[in-house]
Amino acid sequence: MAMQKRSNIRLPPEVNRILYVRNLPYKITGEELYDIFGKYGAIRQIRLGTNSDTKGTAFVVYEDIFDAKNACEHLSGFNVCNRYLVVLYYQSNKAFTKMDKDKKRSELDRMKEKYGVSTEN
């Protein structure tokens, strides 16, 4: 019965099973994240940022989209070690757009150098 109710609910298009978490304490472990996010449903995977650019961020992948929605609603603004979590739905199109811009910029610079074009006045 509960599953039947869930299948009739329309979710906004940005809702998905993958959550992007920012503003994490640098010393937090994957196990601690499982404790925090596991209260809202079965977790498939947690990926913690390890290098200087991604430290303090994580991706949390849930088995069920409704569990991810529930976690996002309840944990956004949650206080962990005096830091308030920012929990967002992962949007792949935004991530790839930035990569595409960087790739196009480097390609443009390479072409300018190849043909000796200067944009400086």
Side-chain angles (χ1 to χ4, degrees), residues 43-111:
I43 295 174
R44 179 173 287 188
Q45 183 181 51
I46 290 182
R47 306 281 294 203
L48 266 169
T50 54
N51 66 15
S52 61
D53 294 339
T54 60
K55 211 152 185 69
T57 64
F59 290 100
V60 179
V61 183
Y62 279 92
E63 294 286 341
D64 184 44
I65 193 169
F66 292 99
D67 295 339
K69 182 178 183 293
N70 194 19
C72 187
E73 290 171 353
H74 287 91
L75 291 175
S76 197
F78 186 74
N79 190 338
V80 177
C81 299
N82 294 324
R83 297 180 71 105
Y84 294 99
L85 298 184
V86 177
V87 183
L88 306 165
Y89 296 106
Y90 173 67
Q91 296 176 342
S92 62
N93 57 349
K94 284 189 178 181
F96 289 122
T97 302
K98 185 174 191 251
M99 285 175 37
D100 287 345
K101 283 181 183 176
D102 292 342
K103 186 177 177 182
K104 286 180 182 179
R105 171 66 62 193
S106 65
E107 188 177 325
L108 182 63
D109 291 341
R110 195 170 34 102
M111 294 293 278

Side-chain angles (χ1 to χ4, degrees), residues 25-42:
Y26 286 172
K27 297 192 185 245
I28 198 163
T29 64
E31 209 170 281
E32 291 169 327
L33 281 177
Y34 270 104
D35 290 342
I36 295 168
F37 285 87
K39 294 175 183 172
Y40 297 95

